[in-house]
């Protein structure tokens, strides 16, 4: 059952909606052209053949009457047949007293159907379609007076066969043209039908990209009014919900800032008198200090996230040479111990960045490496034509491919975090790193590192001076 249900979806996905519409239009056009062509061909064939058959019967009847009036005994029967000169393309034959007489050697008596001859000799008129070599013919026979015998005429139907063959060719060409025209009509109609849907999809992509104010013009198509109005109501509800959640996070973070500041200050006072505490008290103080510092970072991250969600996060972009930028960043991060590998194209590049936000990006990536992978092995910097890649590399367990998108989600943590119990972050660091990189026109992605470990790549745009 599962295979049967998924197979049609596979075919639909292979052709697409527009392709399926084109195929159906072409199929309908082909079916109609085949039906019309078949009916036309059979009708014309029947009419032409019946007309020729009636004409042949009338001609044989007239020629038989003429033959009976003249009388075969009055002259040589063969000369009499030749003198009759039928107007159509026919060959007369005469059977009298067991002897055959013909006006032409093109048709011999043995070419006639034997059953037809026997029927006519028995006194009954008959006709039969047959073939004489490659040519179709109509043989018509009629009995004469008992003392005269039987008269036959063989009518060639080459002209009818050629006419019907030409008609069939024309109908096939017309059917092919109709099918192509149907496919083109389907392509045009599908385009017109799908155009509003493409606009709907475009607005949906804008909303997914963060442009929550984007809406569909409800006058786009009268028949799609239900869809467009429902979509706009959904977008309004989504925007309102996101704004409400952002306000909630911002309010919570700001409300927590004052008590957290009080806790940090009080903790600093207690830490200065650490020596006066018992061993159990010092242990409790360490646990409290760790959790208060973690709460402080979480509140700061929540405030930053709330600014991004509210759209009030500002960015101050300025051109900075890469070599100068790296030295400044390492000094700010107080990590001169991290080895840096920079290639020649990168040293000659100037990037357009907000230095403070780029510092936050790298600080979050370095903290992530120290929490999960035992620290940073090196920073590698590569210059490209339109961007500079700053990679934070570690030799930890690495990140599975299926998790490389998920870990950028808010409050997401690596699969090893619950087992080690060593991670003290809020789960917002990588999400903030991605948001800050995006504000600067860059991005953050994860790559596997040859030999093991993870490689977080920050891509920042190059500016031409």
């Amino acid at each position: 059952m599962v295979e049967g249900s998924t197979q049609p979806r596979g075919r639909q996905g292979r052709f697409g909606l527009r392709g399926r519409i084109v195929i159906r239009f072409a199929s309908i056009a082909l079916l109609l052209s085949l039906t019309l062509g078949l009916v036309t061909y059979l009708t014309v064939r029947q009419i032409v053949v019946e007309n020729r058959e009636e004409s042949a019967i009338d001609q044989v009847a007239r020629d038989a009457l003429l033959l009976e009036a003249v009388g075969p005994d009055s002259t040589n029967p063969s000369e009499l047949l030749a003198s009759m000169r039928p107007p159509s393309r026919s060959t007369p034959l005469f059977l009298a007293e067991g002897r055959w007489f013909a006006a032409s050697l093109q048709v011999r008596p043995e070419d006639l159907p034997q059953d037809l001859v026997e029927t006519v000799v028995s006194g009954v008129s008959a006709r039969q379609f047959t073939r004489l070599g490659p040519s179709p013919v109509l043989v018509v026979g009629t009995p004469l007076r008992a003392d005269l015998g039987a008269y036959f005429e063989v009518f060639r139907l080459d002209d009818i066969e050629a006419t019907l063959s030409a008609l069939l060719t024309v109908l096939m060409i017309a059917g092919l043209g109709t099918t192509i025209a149907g496919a083109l009509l389907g392509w045009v109609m599908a385009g017109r039908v799908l155009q509003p849907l493409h606009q709907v999809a475009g607005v949906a992509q804008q909303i997914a990209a963060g442009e929550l104010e984007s809406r569909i013009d409800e006058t786009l198509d009268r028949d799609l009014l239900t869809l467009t109005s429902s979509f706009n109501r959904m977008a309004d509800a989504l925007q309102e919900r996101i704004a409400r959640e952002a306000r909630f996070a911002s309010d919570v973070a700001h409300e927590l800032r004052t008590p957290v500041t009080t806790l940090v200050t009080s903790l600093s006072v207690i830490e200065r008198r650490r020596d006066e505490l018992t061993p159990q008290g010092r242990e409790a103080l360490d646990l409290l200090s760790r959790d208060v510092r973690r709460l402080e970072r979480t509140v700061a991250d929540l405030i930053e996230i709330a600014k991004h969600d509210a759209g009030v996060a500002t960015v101050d972009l300025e051109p900075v040479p890469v070599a100068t930028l790296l030295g400044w960043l390492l000094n700010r991060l107080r990590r001169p111990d991290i080895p840096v590998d920079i290639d020649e194209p990168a040293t000659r590049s100037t990037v357009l960045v907000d230095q403070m936000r780029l510092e936050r990006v790298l600080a979050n990536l370095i903290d992530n490496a120290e929490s999960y992978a035992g620290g940073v092995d090196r920073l590698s910097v590569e210059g490209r034509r339109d961007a500079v890649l700053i990679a934070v590399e570690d030799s930890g367990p690495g990140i599975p491919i299926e998790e490389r998108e998920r870990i950028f989600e808010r409050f997401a943590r690596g699969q090893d975090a619950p087992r080690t119990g060593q991670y003290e972050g809020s789960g917002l660091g990588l999400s903030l790193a991605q948001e800050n990189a995006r504000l600067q026109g860059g991005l953050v992605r994860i790559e596997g590192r040859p030999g093991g470990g993870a490689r977080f790549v920050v891509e920042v745009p190059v500016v031409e001076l």
Side-chain angles (χ1 to χ4, degrees), residues 30-273:
L30 177 61
L31 180 61
L32 291 177
S33 61
L34 286 177
T35 302
L36 182 61
L38 182 62
V39 171
T40 301
Y41 178 80
L42 293 178
T43 302
V44 172
R45 181 177 181 273
Q46 182 178 2
I47 292 175
V48 171
V49 171
E50 286 181 353
N51 288 340
R52 179 61 61 87
E53 187 177 7
E54 292 175 0
S55 175
I57 292 173
D58 292 341
Q59 179 177 322
V60 168
R62 290 194 302 269
D63 292 343
L65 291 175
L66 178 61
L67 185 61
E68 289 176 346
V70 174
D73 294 335
S74 61
T75 182
N76 185 287
S78 298
E79 294 179 356
L80 177 60
L81 293 177
S83 64
M84 294 173 64
R85 298 181 181 279
S88 63
R89 300 176 58 190
S90 64
T91 302
L93 293 95
F94 174 57
L95 175 63
E97 297 178 356
R99 295 179 60 190
W100 284 95
F101 302 92
S104 172
L105 297 178
Q106 294 180 351
V107 180
R108 297 171 299 176
E110 54 266 26
D111 294 331
L112 302 180
Q114 188 61 35
D115 54 348
L116 177 83
V117 174
E118 293 175 355
T119 301
V120 175
V121 170
S122 66
V124 179
S125 298
R127 59 188 180 276
Q128 182 176 340
F129 291 95
T130 184
R131 300 194 74 86
L132 185 59
S135 303
V137 295
L138 170 63
V139 181
V140 181
T142 183
L144 302 177
R145 292 195 305 267
D147 56 342
L148 294 180
Y151 177 70
F152 301 86
E153 279 194 35
V154 178
F155 297 86
R156 292 188 176 275
L157 305 178
D158 303 81
D159 55 336
I160 293 181
E161 187 176 57
T163 300
L164 293 178
S165 178
L167 175 63
L168 182 61
T169 301
V170 171
L171 291 176
M172 291 177 63
I173 295 175
L176 179 61
T178 303
T179 303
I180 295 175
L184 293 176
L185 178 62
W187 180 267
V188 174
M189 294 300 297
R192 295 179 63 87
V193 170
L194 294 178
Q195 183 178 4
L197 299 182
H198 287 316
Q199 297 184 20
V200 172
V203 173
Q205 290 177 352
Q206 293 174 4
I207 294 176
E211 301 177 18
L212 301 180
E213 298 80 10
S214 300
R215 295 294 183 271
I216 302 174
D217 183 6
E218 295 192 5
T219 63
L220 179 66
D221 193 305
R222 182 178 58 188
D223 297 326
L224 295 178
L225 180 60
T226 302
L227 172 64
T228 54
S229 59
S230 299
F231 184 93
N232 287 339
R233 287 196 299 270
M234 179 192 69
D236 291 337
L238 177 63
Q239 184 180 14
E240 182 180 353
R241 180 175 179 178
I242 292 176
R244 185 169 60 249
E245 292 178 352
R247 287 194 302 269
F248 175 76
S250 178
D251 293 343
V252 169
H254 282 87
E255 289 297 326
L256 288 175
R257 174 178 285 180
T258 299
V260 167
T261 303
T262 303
L263 283 174
V264 172
T265 304
S266 302
L267 183 63
S268 300
V269 173
I270 297 174
E271 285 178 338
R272 286 196 296 268
R273 309 190 65 172

Side-chain angles (χ1 to χ4, degrees), residues 320-327 342 345-351 381 388 390 462:
V320 183
V322 171
T324 304
L325 176 66
L326 286 176
I342 180 169
T347 59
R348 299 193 304 267
S349 300
T350 299
V351 292
V381 185
V388 169
I390 305 174
V462 170

Side-chain angles (χ1 to χ4, degrees), residues 446-461:
I446 307 173
E447 299 176 353
R449 185 184 181 194
R455 189 171 187 263
F456 286 82
V457 181
V458 182
E459 183 175 323
V460 291

Side-chain angles (χ1 to χ4, degrees), residues 7 160 177 207 222 228 267 301 305 339 382 423 445:
Q7 187 176 3
I160 293 181
I207 294 176
R222 182 178 58 188
T228 54
L267 183 63
D301 289 344
I305 284 288
E382 302 175 13
Y423 184 67
R445 65 174 184 271

